Amino acid sequence: NAGVTQTPKFRVLKTGQSMTLLCAQDMNHEYMYWYRQDPGMGLRLIHYSVGEGTTAKGEVPDGYNVSRLKKQNFLLGLESAAPSQTSVYFCASTPRSAGELFFGEGSRLTVL
Amino acid sequence: QQQVKQSPQSLIVQKGGISIINCAYENTAFDYFPWYQQFPGKGPALLIAIRPDVSEKKEGRFTISFNKSAKQFSLHIMDSQPGDSATYFCAALSGVNTGFQKLVFGTGTRLLVSP
C-alpha cells in the first residue's frame, strides 16, 4: 500500500498565482487533514474533513480552500498565493477521530 | 497562542546518553498525548503515546513520563543512537466535547545524537 501520497512534492509559485495540492490515501480512512509546517511553529492545522463531501476550518485557514469530493482524495487550493504561504504542507489521514495520524511525505511550496 | 509548549528547540546528545524533551499544556480537556518522530524529508510518524490515567509508558528505549497535576509530559530516549537523530513533536488531543478531536502539536525539538 502507498499510504498517503502527496503531489506535487515541490513547487515554486509567483505571488498571485494559484495552485492545488493533491492528497490521496488508499487506507479507506474517514478523516483527512492538511497541516503546514514552519520553523519554530510546529504543525498547524489548516483544514480538515470528517468524511466525503465535508470540510471544516482549522487553526490557520485564511488563504486556503479545500475539497473532498471523493473519500480517498483531499485537495488543498491556494487561489492567490502569498509569500507568507511559503511552507511545507503535510496531508494526514486517520480511520477515526485523531489519535494516530498517518502523514504523507510533504509538499514544499515556495512563493516568490 | 501555543497550546502545547515544547522545549528545548534543539538538543545534542552523545551516543549512549539520555535525551529528554519536555512539553507542557494548559487545557485540562486534553486526554491523549502522543509523540511523533520526523526524519528529514519525511512526514511525522507516531512514536509513542500516553493517556493521563497513567504516569509512565515505556516502549523499548522510549519512555513517556506524565505529570497530570503539573500538566507536563516528557519523552526520554535511553541509550540514544545516531539513528534517533530526528525532529520530535509532542501533541495533545483536544475537542472531546465537540465530537471531533484534533491534535495540537508542540513546536518540535531537533535532536542530534553524535557518534
Side-chain angles (χ1 to χ4, degrees):
Chain A
N1 283 343
V4 178
T5 302
Q6 294 182 227
T7 53
K9 289 186 171 19
F10 301 93
R11 184 74 187 269
V12 178
L13 288 177
K14 294 182 179 178
T15 297
Q17 287 185 319
S18 63
M19 75 156 297
T20 299
L21 296 176
L22 170 64
C23 176
Q25 53 96 0
D26 60 3
M27 298 175 283
N28 201 35
H29 288 172
E30 286 294 329
Y31 300 142
M32 297 186 74
Y33 310 77
W34 275 107
Y35 286 88
R36 60 177 289 174
Q37 182 176 12
D38 302 289
M41 304 287 285
L43 291 150
R44 293 180 292 168
L45 182 63
I46 305 171
H47 285 280
Y48 61 94
S49 168
V50 299
E52 181 178 318
T54 71
T55 63
K57 295 180 180 180
E59 300 173 66
V60 289
D62 294 343
Y64 304 95
N65 57 77
V66 288
S67 64
R68 183 116 180 255
L69 299 180
K70 294 182 179 181
K71 185 178 182 179
Q72 64 267 33
N73 296 336
F74 195 27
L75 279 64
L76 178 70
L78 287 72
E79 290 187 348
S80 180
S84 61
Q85 294 177 305
T86 293
S87 186
V88 181
Y89 292 86
F90 286 97
C91 176
S93 69
T94 184
R96 58 190 174 281
S97 182
E100 180 174 4
L101 267 62
F102 295 83
F103 283 86
E105 295 198 335
S107 297
R108 182 175 293 274
L109 174 65
T110 301
V111 183
L112 302 175
Chain B
Q1 181 183 357
Q2 195 67 35
Q3 296 190 50
V4 179
K5 295 184 179 180
Q6 183 172 347
S7 63
Q9 188 172 359
S10 63
L11 181 62
I12 300 175
V13 173
Q14 296 272 7
K15 178 182 176 181
I18 302 173
S19 304
I20 302 174
I21 304 170
N22 300 301
C23 285
Y25 64 97
E26 289 296 325
N27 188 347
T28 55
F30 289 144
D31 69 348
Y32 178 75
F33 301 88
W35 285 87
Y36 281 77
Q37 180 187 53
Q38 183 183 29
F39 292 106
K42 302 294 184 181
L46 180 67
L47 180 64
I48 187 172
I50 196 169
R51 296 197 180 275
D53 53 347
V54 298
S55 60
E56 185 176 282
K57 183 174 182 180
K58 184 176 181 179
E59 291 184 1
R61 296 184 294 108
F62 300 90
T63 300
I64 300 179
S65 297
F66 188 84
N67 186 329
K68 188 173 182 178
S69 60
K71 291 185 284 187
Q72 295 175 347
F73 59 110
S74 60
L75 176 69
H76 296 235
I77 306 174
M78 311 299 289
D79 186 26
S80 298
Q81 299 297 312
D84 297 330
S85 298
T87 299
Y88 293 82
F89 292 96
C90 62
L93 189 65
S94 71
V96 173
N97 295 326
T98 66
F100 176 73
Q101 301 164 333
K102 57 183 183 290
L103 283 175
V104 177
F105 285 88
T107 51
T109 296
R110 182 172 291 186
L111 170 66
L112 176 64
V113 181
S114 59

